[in-house]
Amino acid sequence: IREIVGKKSYTFAPIDSRVSRKVVTTDDLLNTPLFTVLGGKTGYTKEAGYCLVIKIAHPKMKKEIIVTILGADSSEARFQDAKALAWWVFSNFE
C-alpha cells in the first residue's frame, strides 16, 4: 500500500478479470519537492467539508509527521493548508 499511495496513478487487473482498472490519486501533494507522501486519506461530506489525513516525511531531516485537515472549503484548500502546516513544522522543529 505504501508504494501505491505515492504514485499519481495505479493500474491493476482484478483477480479473475482481464479488464484493467486505473485509479488516479486526488492527492495534490505528490507533486511537491518539499516532502515525501507516505500515506494518506482524503474525504468530503457536506457536514465536515473537505478533509485530509496525511503522513509525510522530510527528505533531509529524516522526520515524519501526520497532518490532519478538517473542514476545508475546497479540495485545493485542504492540500494547501496541509502543505503550509508541514512546511511550518519542518521549519520550526528539530
Side-chain angles (χ1 to χ4, degrees):
I1 291 175
R2 187 178 205 176
E3 176 185 333
I4 294 169
V5 298
K7 296 180 181 223
K8 295 177 187 175
S9 67
Y10 184 73
T11 303
F12 66 97
I15 297 173
D16 297 331
S17 174
R18 293 183 181 175
V19 178
S20 293
R21 311 260 168 129
K22 182 176 183 180
V23 179
V24 179
T25 185
T26 59
D27 191 341
D28 292 340
L29 297 178
L30 290 175
N31 298 322
T32 181
L34 300 174
F35 41 77
T36 302
V37 174
L38 302 176
K41 176 68 179 106
T42 59
Y44 172 82
T45 65
K46 183 178 177 182
E47 294 80 11
Y50 291 88
C51 302
L52 169 69
V53 176
I54 193 163
K55 183 177 181 181
I56 56 179
H58 189 281
K60 295 179 183 173
M61 295 173 66
K62 297 183 181 172
K63 301 233 182 226
E64 297 177 359
I65 62 171
I66 296 173
V67 176
T68 302
I69 304 296
L70 302 173
D73 292 331
S74 67
S75 180
E76 182 179 339
R78 67 180 160 197
F79 291 111
Q80 292 302 318
D81 290 348
K83 186 189 287 186
L85 282 170
W87 179 84
W88 186 87
V89 169
F90 288 136
S91 296
N92 289 285
F93 291 96
E94 294 182 15

